Amino acid sequence: MLVFVKFYCDILMLLHHFFSDTVAHYPDKTAIICDGQRYSYAEIAVRVNTLACTLHACGVKRGDRVALFLDNRVEMAVGVYAALTIGAVFMPVNALTKQDKLSYLLNDSRAAALITDMALQSIWAGALAANTGSTEGINAIIVGYAASEISSLPSSLAARCVPYPNELVATPIIDEAATIDCDLASIIYTSGSTGEPKGVMLTHLNMVSAARSVSGYLELNASDIILCVLPLAFDYGLYQLLMSFKVGATLVLERSFVFPIKVLEIMSREKVTVFPGVPTIFSLLMNLKGLKKFDLSALRKITNTAAALSEEHIRRLRALFPQAVLYSMYGLTECKRVTYLPPDQLDIRPTSVGRGMPNEEVWLIDEAGNRLPHGSTGELVIRGSNVMRGYWEKPAETAKRLKPGPNVGEMVLYSGDLFRSDDEGWLYFVARRDDIIKSRGEKVSPREVENTIYSLDGVQDVAVIGVPDELLGQAIKAFIVQREGFNLSERDVIRHCLARLENFMAPKVVEFVDALPTTDTGKIKKTGLS
């Protein structure tokens, strides 16, 4: 009976309980390093309670959405836990978001409060002023400002502006009975590369389950110092915060990897142990001159998701950081993480993204929805407590992704991603279902062609798409960024591919570019390439 009770209490834990427990255990430990300042867990807790009191005083209630339109800074972290403290739903918004999109997100979510700063005034003020009728539900715009700065705002906006609290109070106002684990903790909007952005609804149970599983298989602990250059509005970046605060680690917050030398200096000075990144960040890192002058010997873990690493990327990363363990993972916002490759499998199957993570089940299906055996190719389906509740107020879009599972009353997530599995069940990403190229009557995975091109010396980044062709249906076109000092030709690339791929998979056209477009999260964006 005692074992059952403990298990039951663990399952009912809310997302912010991790933080509360860590504050109790490590009050004086450094929680966040940001902009040259250090904040202890106790100091963060006081800031969280102060902002929670401010939100409460502004009329924000349990279940209300709180938009966090902030850069990677301590205020974003505080905003997450302040919203959770009063039972609200936090909604992180990337600081690079443009005015029209911000207006859409605030309107679509019917946010009750917006937490932001004056550095982003031109965006949020414009978004609100342009739609005062549809965003009047926002009770408060909590922003740090001087009195002179606010005078330029329309009176309807200025009246709703509340100073970001500077006088700290340590009195919590938590009503634990009001929130249960199936309540929403967050809404994270997808990038919206096709159609309107969709708000992914994640419950406390979803996020607690994911944070436990991922931090468990990465073996994160209180001695870790985790660097985050990924946007906290991106689930991969957000979970660096959530997992750090869960285990009592120290989080080093940087706005981006745009200035890599500065980031490397900080990594060296702070003795960073965990470096989460995406392929575009690692490409930039691997092509930096003078990397060896930085002491990165403390680094013990490198994690990758958003897009699979090529074998060439893996080889070069491991050569640069032989002391670090590399984790290759796959995930999507709708359920956080799906798979990870145990490090001892990296030499055996380097291009695999692993198998399902703890506390979930995954399998492949064919176009008719039939479950496929190992050794097949099909759409990945995910079952588990990390699967989203659905898309915010979009039942039609939700029904396309969440479908009845094997047990009565449960829903499983259809990922929309194609994978192949080997005879042992290890998974290999093939493509987004919509990205598959049909050339000469054959189906071509852009990822397979990209991996082949990455193995050509001199290639830094590559994106492969299908373009209309009267004879082929779709021709394969490759966009390539070369590494400094190389001068590859289209013929070099095509010859390299023909020697390693079926001829229908080789590019017909190769275009060399200075840079490839990326999403706000650093993932290569193919929309717009032609």
Side-chain angles (χ1 to χ4, degrees):
M1 176 63 71
L2 289 176
V3 173
F4 174 80
V5 169
K6 183 179 187 305
F7 175 76
Y8 185 71
C9 289
D10 282 349
I11 290 296
L12 289 181
M13 176 173 274
L14 302 177
L15 184 58
H16 50 294
H17 288 174
F18 288 142
F19 172 57
S20 301
D21 288 351
T22 297
V23 172
H25 283 92
Y26 307 108
D28 299 324
K29 189 175 185 297
T30 299
I32 290 178
I33 301 171
C34 181
D35 293 332
Q37 296 194 30
R38 310 175 91 81
Y39 303 85
S40 71
Y41 275 102
E43 289 171 331
I44 295 292
V46 172
R47 289 171 180 266
V48 166
N49 289 327
T50 301
L51 183 56
C53 289
T54 301
L55 287 169
H56 182 72
C58 291
V60 178
K61 304 180 298 299
R62 174 186 174 220
D64 282 349
R65 278 72 59 204
V66 176
L68 307 172
F69 183 43
L70 292 161
D71 216 328
N72 275 20
R73 48 189 296 180
V74 69
E75 287 83 0
M76 174 69 101
V78 169
V80 167
Y81 288 97
L84 292 171
T85 295
I86 61 172
V89 180
F90 73 89
M91 191 181 92
V93 181
N94 196 301
L96 298 177
T97 300
K98 304 303 181 187
Q99 178 178 309
D100 289 348
K101 183 175 178 180
L102 177 62
S103 179
Y104 171 84
L105 299 181
L106 296 175
N107 292 338
D108 187 68
S109 65
R110 300 195 308 282
L114 169 65
I115 302 176
T116 185
D117 62 42
M118 289 305 292
L120 299 168
Q121 176 190 347
S122 62
I123 306 299
W124 59 259
L128 293 170
N131 284 297
T132 52
S134 53
T135 58
E136 59 188 11
I138 294 180
N139 297 337
I141 307 160
I142 300 175
V143 56
Y145 60 82
S148 58
E149 292 178 304
I150 209 67
S151 60
S152 62
L153 291 175
S155 57
S156 60
L157 295 183
R160 288 185 278 166
C161 284
V162 176
Y164 193 91
N166 291 317
E167 294 184 8
L168 303 181
V169 296
T171 305
I173 51 166
I174 304 172
D175 182 3
E176 292 290 1
T179 305
I180 57 177
D181 64 354
C182 60
D183 285 349
L184 291 187
S186 180
I187 295 177
I188 302 176
Y189 276 82
T190 58
S191 60
S193 57
T194 57
E196 293 179 337
K198 300 184 291 291
V200 176
M201 296 188 292
L202 298 167
T203 67
H204 282 266
L205 177 60
N206 291 154
M207 302 189 84
V208 165
S209 174
R212 276 186 171 141
S213 291
V214 180
S215 62
Y217 69 66
L218 291 179
E219 298 180 337
L220 300 178
N221 59 61
S223 68
D224 278 317
I225 300 170
I226 303 172
L227 175 72
C228 186
V229 297
L230 304 158
L232 291 177
F234 172 32
D235 72 313
Y236 189 21
L238 173 64
Y239 272 82
Q240 306 312 316
L241 167 66
L242 301 180
M243 295 189 300
S244 292
F245 280 22
K246 174 187 179 296
V247 302
T250 295
L251 184 67
V252 181
L253 278 179
E254 283 296 309
R255 285 172 170 78
S256 71
F257 202 67
V258 171
F259 302 105
I261 298 300
K262 174 193 171 188
V263 175
L264 290 170
E265 289 172 347
I266 292 171
M267 288 179 68
S268 176
R269 182 175 67 247
E270 300 297 345
K271 301 188 183 308
V272 165
T273 64
V274 184
F275 181 21
V278 295
T280 50
I281 286 176
F282 294 133
S283 287
L284 184 58
L285 179 69
M286 290 183 292
N287 288 285
L288 280 177
K289 293 181 179 179
L291 182 63
K292 292 183 179 179
K293 73 179 182 181
F294 298 100
D295 180 9
L296 303 178
S297 58
L299 189 63
R300 67 182 187 90
K301 292 184 188 295
I302 298 173
T303 66
N304 174 77
T305 190
L309 287 169
S310 69
E311 284 192 71
E312 178 64 12
H313 271 146
I314 291 171
R315 182 189 66 78
R316 295 179 65 200
L317 267 178
R318 295 178 80 189
L320 282 173
F321 307 107
Q323 83 285 3
V325 176
L326 175 61
Y327 285 82
S328 184
M329 306 179 293
Y330 160 81
L332 61 164
T333 306
E334 287 81 354
C335 66
K336 175 48 187 168
R337 186 74 69 244
V338 181
T339 67
Y340 81 102
L341 184 69
D344 62 4
Q345 295 294 314
L346 196 60
D347 289 322
I348 302 170
R349 49 193 108 248
T351 58
S352 172
V353 292
R355 292 193 285 210
M357 72 179 193
N359 199 34
E360 70 168 22
E361 181 184 5
V362 297
W363 62 88
L364 301 181
I365 59 169
D366 61 20
E367 293 185 357
N370 300 310
R371 194 163 179 161
L372 294 168
H374 292 339
S376 305
T377 297
E379 181 178 359
L380 187 71
V381 177
I382 303 109
R383 171 179 179 252
S385 57
N386 54 324
V387 171
M388 70 170 180
R389 178 178 288 178
Y391 295 119
W392 173 259
E393 296 188 342
K394 286 183 169 53
E397 288 85 346
T398 298
K400 293 176 184 177
R401 300 297 294 274
L402 294 182
K403 300 181 182 181
N407 295 326
V408 175
E410 77 170 350
M411 305 298 281
V412 297
L413 177 66
Y414 281 56
S415 68
D417 289 342
L418 298 179
F419 282 78
R420 68 175 178 85
S421 64
D422 61 23
D423 292 339
E424 298 179 56
W426 297 95
L427 292 165
Y428 301 78
F429 180 78
V430 175
R432 291 286 304 169
R433 182 182 289 279
D434 295 340
D435 287 346
I436 288 291
I437 301 168
K438 296 180 180 178
S439 183
R440 305 185 195 179
E442 302 280 356
K443 293 182 179 179
V444 178
S445 161
R447 188 65 198 168
E448 187 173 356
V449 182
E450 289 164 357
N451 283 340
T452 299
I453 295 174
Y454 270 122
S455 68
L456 176 60
D457 197 20
V459 173
Q460 177 171 319
D461 287 310
V462 60
V464 168
I465 65 169
V467 294
D469 186 279
E470 289 186 5
L471 179 62
L472 303 176
Q474 283 185 301
I476 295 167
K477 182 175 181 178
F479 295 84
I480 295 175
V481 178
Q482 297 190 64
R483 286 160 52 194
E484 187 177 347
F486 286 83
N487 188 27
L488 298 171
S489 68
E490 181 179 59
R491 182 178 177 82
D492 292 333
V493 176
I494 294 174
R495 184 191 298 126
H496 177 82
C497 291
L498 286 172
R500 292 161 177 80
L501 298 168
E502 294 92 335
N503 60 2
F504 65 84
M505 299 181 72
K508 181 180 179 180
V509 181
V510 177
E511 182 176 334
F512 295 96
V513 295
D514 293 332
L516 289 168
T518 60
T519 65
D520 294 344
T521 60
K523 186 176 180 180
I524 291 174
K525 181 170 62 176
K526 296 184 181 180
T527 52
L529 293 177
S530 60

